[in-house]
Amino acid sequence: MQVDHEKRSVEIEKQMKMLEHNMKLIKHKIAVMSGKGGVGKTTVAVNLAMGFKLMGYSSAILDADVTGPDVPLMLGLEGRRIELTGPFGMMPVLHESGIKVMSLAFLLQTPDTPVIWRGPLKTTVIRQFLAEVYWDQLDFLVIDLPPGTADEPMSVGQLIPDLDGVVIVTTPQDVALLDVRKSIGMARIMNVPVLGIIENMSGLIFKCPNCGKETEIDLFGKGGGEKVAKEMSIPFLGQLPIDVRIPEGSDKGNPFVIKDPDSPAAKAFMSIVKKLETAVEGAKQ
Ligand SMILES: Nc1ncnc2c1ncn2[C@@H]1O[C@H](COP(=O)(O)OP(=O)(O)O)[C@@H](O)[C@H]1O
Ligand SMILES: [Mg+2]
């Protein structure tokens, strides 16, 4: 028992050294979190990685939602499989845009295989993804987290001490906003900077099927995200409207910043990407 325990500690120590080396090669690490599920975290994370790429940076995305890995679907990479080992470690899947992608889904037998793991195992897999994936030199690594304040955000915060910070996604409803405060609280306890809040599904862009005219409808309310940001003294990054083209595209693996770059949502999103670029580049000068 004692020997097993010692062997394991040596292994973890070796992995932590690899992780440190890997993370040093990546200039900026940004995690996307939220209090609730279904608010658009993965949509934001995927388009953020894509947005940085569109700006000329090298970027990658790590799907750290271990029990609900949706990133491959949103990038049209469902069904792709990778080898666990290779001369340089695990090779991430390369999306046609050039961004590197890693997800537990690439290691599962079928997309329907449920992942039923307790906390320590989730931490182990995240540590392995950070340490053993051949990320190489990168400008940006975006990390998509599951909702809430459980094991995965905690592991990411602990394993990456130089994380640039977290972006918090919310919808305008009060229930979502209530949970935002918990996410901010967690980041503060862990000493992780909060880069800002994005209010998603803020107003609906509706295109009339008869006349083709586009109008904006205030569906779930607006402005709650900005109010919480002000209240908690953190930056407000912007609002994204509800747009039916977003789920249409993401189900087919087409992130909206690439598929509909002239849509109000894509324009609003790119201005958020620029704000984040300014924030993290400014902080690391
Ligand atoms: N602004 C938006 N307009 C319309 N649909 C959206 C928008 N943002 C996200 N969605 C859709 O909502 C669903 C949940 O989004 P997702 O990114 O998976 O949320 P989370 O990762 O927080 O659970 C997806 O089908 C996505 O396409
Ligand atoms: Mg998600």
Side-chain angles (χ1 to χ4, degrees):
M1 215 39 198
Q2 181 69 20
V3 175
D4 270 4
H5 187 71
E6 273 168 24
K7 219 168 108 190
R8 211 175 122 65
S9 322
V10 172
E11 248 168 54
I12 292 179
E13 214 169 285
K14 201 174 124 202
Q15 216 175 28
M16 286 309 290
K17 285 218 173 82
M18 286 159 68
L19 188 148
E20 223 172 276
H21 168 80
N22 251 357
M23 292 302 109
K24 262 194 204 133
L25 296 176
I26 306 174
K27 194 166 176 203
H28 298 295
K29 281 85 76 178
I30 298 174
V32 181
M33 68 188 295
S34 74
K36 290 180 78 65
V39 297
K41 225 171 354 328
T42 306
T43 306
V44 164
V46 161
N47 283 280
L48 201 53
M50 208 56 94
F52 286 129
K53 184 77 200 166
L54 287 175
M55 290 172 77
Y57 291 108
S58 53
S59 81
I61 180 162
L62 169 63
D63 187 351
D65 191 344
V66 174
T67 44
D70 291 336
V71 170
L73 172 82
M74 290 202 189
L75 286 169
L77 298 171
E78 253 187 324
R80 293 285 289 268
R81 295 286 168 270
I82 60 153
E83 297 298 324
L84 256 178
T85 49
F88 300 106
M90 280 184 264
M91 293 306 272
V93 170
L94 194 62
H95 183 258
E96 59 187 18
S97 61
I99 68 171
K100 291 173 185 166
V101 188
M102 186 61 209
S103 169
L104 187 67
F106 298 145
L107 303 168
L108 296 177
Q109 289 302 319
T110 71
D112 299 330
T113 310
V115 179
I116 308 164
W117 286 351
R118 287 184 194 279
L121 215 50
K122 292 183 187 168
T123 305
T124 305
V125 78
I126 290 176
R127 190 172 57 231
Q128 210 165 347
F129 282 160
L130 295 170
E132 295 177 23
V133 169
Y134 183 64
W135 297 108
D136 204 7
Q137 302 232 351
L138 282 173
D139 294 315
F140 285 93
L141 174 66
V142 177
I143 302 167
D144 181 33
L145 290 167
T149 51
D151 303 284
E152 296 89 336
M154 207 141 83
S155 310
V156 165
Q158 282 168 347
L159 293 169
I160 316 177
D162 68 337
L163 191 74
D164 290 77
V166 292
V167 169
I168 298 174
V169 184
T170 184
T171 52
Q173 299 100 317
D174 286 344
V175 267
L177 293 167
L178 186 72
D179 289 334
V180 164
R181 294 182 177 89
K182 292 184 193 153
S183 302
I184 298 170
M186 178 188 202
R188 287 194 172 147
I189 290 170
M190 296 193 64
N191 253 332
V192 171
V194 179
L195 296 169
I197 291 183
I198 296 176
E199 182 176 294
N200 187 25
M201 308 193 194
S202 171
L204 166 74
I205 304 282
F206 176 74
K207 193 169 177 181
C208 173
N210 298 320
C211 67
K213 197 171 158 236
E214 277 193 359
T215 11
E216 194 176 333
I217 302 167
D218 195 353
L219 196 65
F220 298 138
K222 272 178 115 174
E226 189 164 11
K227 207 171 128 226
V228 173
K230 214 176 247 164
E231 214 180 277
M232 306 217 42
S233 312
I234 55 174
F236 181 66
L237 296 167
Q239 296 170 326
L240 295 175
I242 298 173
D243 187 331
V244 288
R245 290 169 289 190
I246 295 178
E248 271 168 19
S250 62
D251 285 354
K252 293 195 185 84
N254 288 318
F256 70 91
V257 285
I258 291 199
K259 188 175 74 84
D260 299 300
D262 296 323
S263 64
K267 284 185 183 156
F269 194 81
M270 285 313 289
S271 91
I272 290 175
V273 182
K274 287 195 183 92
K275 272 189 202 164
L276 281 171
E277 178 209 26
T278 310
V280 299
E281 284 282 308
K284 280 214 173 151
Q285 285 308 314

